[in-house]
């Protein structure tokens, strides 16, 4: 599970995803969100040992895609942000940083 801070967009890549009851083909969604601890913001310090500390990580804008087969529940795009985050946390997503804005 990742720490999703904020969802910017969640949209189907198919121009016409259709009505759920009539969905006959898989639908791929693209998600852009801010994810905590995705990029290194300062390196680890090893020497001198009295000021040693681990690397520090911070949030980044990230992108991922996931595909739903016919009959699977679609993401709750009009729901409150917390419900969308809970839905996405239930998926095994591979978030990739897009850069900072």
């Amino acid at each position: 599970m990742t720490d999703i801070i904020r969802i910017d967009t969640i949209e189907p890549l198919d121009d016409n995803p259709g009505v759920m009851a009539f969905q006959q083909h898989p639908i791929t969604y693209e998600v852009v969100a801010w994810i905590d601890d995705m990029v290194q913001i300062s390196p680890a310090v090893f020497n001198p040992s009295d000021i040693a500390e681990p690397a520090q990580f911070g949030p980044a804008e990230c992108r991922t895609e996931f595909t739903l087969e016919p009959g699977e529940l679609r993401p709750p795009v009009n729901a409150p942000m917390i419900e969308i985050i809970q839905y996405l946390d239930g998926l095994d997503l591979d978030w990739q940083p897009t850069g900072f804005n």
Side-chain angles (χ1 to χ4, degrees):
M1 182 167 87
T2 56
D3 289 327
I4 300 172
I5 298 171
R6 180 184 81 221
I7 309 281
D8 287 340
T9 61
I10 179 168
E11 298 177 351
L13 294 179
D14 185 353
D15 291 335
N16 186 15
V19 178
M20 185 161 181
F22 301 109
Q23 178 184 347
Q24 299 296 319
H25 56 85
I27 298 176
T28 299
Y29 285 84
E30 177 184 62
V31 182
V32 177
W34 281 84
I35 310 296
D36 200 14
D37 295 333
M38 286 300 293
V39 293
Q40 186 173 338
I41 57 175
S42 68
V45 175
F46 299 106
N47 293 312
S49 61
D50 59 331
I51 63 166
E53 64 178 46
Q56 301 295 311
F57 291 84
E61 181 184 63
C62 297
R63 166 186 186 287
T64 192
E65 292 180 1
F66 63 94
T67 301
L68 297 178
E69 297 297 324
E72 288 186 289
L73 282 176
R74 293 187 184 187
V77 293
N78 294 322
M81 183 72 65
I82 190 70
E83 289 183 29
I84 300 171
I85 290 172
Q86 288 171 345
Y87 175 87
L88 294 173
D89 276 341
L91 303 174
D92 184 24
L93 300 175
D94 182 26
W95 294 98
Q96 298 298 317
T98 60
F100 295 104
N101 286 340

